[in-house]
Amino acid sequence: MLAYLKGVIVTKEISGGPVGRVVLDVNDVGYELSVAHSALLLLGQIGDTVTVYTAVAIRETEWTIFGFRDISERQLF
């Protein structure tokens, strides 16, 4: 569905669990992605333009976009 997103990091949030959040502004649309802490720390800083590889999980009540630093991380997922 979505192979990758290229945009500007708007927010980064590291939560108490193993997965954090990043919001990317892609042409004035904000995409919220769930990203592993290790990848989130290396992804870049707020205001940086980055490419994040993605996998989408569609469930009955929600859509979740998972973000990865490179294709090999995505393939392991």
Side-chain angles (χ1 to χ4, degrees):
M1 178 180 274
L2 295 173
Y4 68 89
L5 292 169
K6 181 177 181 180
V8 177
I9 298 173
V10 177
T11 62
K12 289 174 66 172
E13 178 183 308
I14 295 180
S15 62
V19 177
R21 293 180 337 126
V22 64
V23 175
L24 284 186
D25 180 334
V26 180
N27 295 322
D28 295 327
V29 177
Y31 291 90
E32 180 179 296
L33 297 97
S34 296
V35 181
H37 287 182
S38 58
L40 191 60
L41 293 172
L42 299 172
L43 194 56
Q45 300 301 317
I46 293 174
D48 290 349
T49 298
V50 296
T51 299
V52 181
Y53 295 90
T54 59
V56 179
I58 300 173
R59 297 186 183 97
E60 188 174 316
T61 58
E62 68 180 325
W63 289 32
T64 303
I65 304 173
F66 294 97
F68 308 94
R69 287 185 311 121
D70 55 42
I71 293 173
S72 62
E73 280 185 1
R74 181 177 170 230
Q75 289 173 334
L76 282 173
F77 179 74

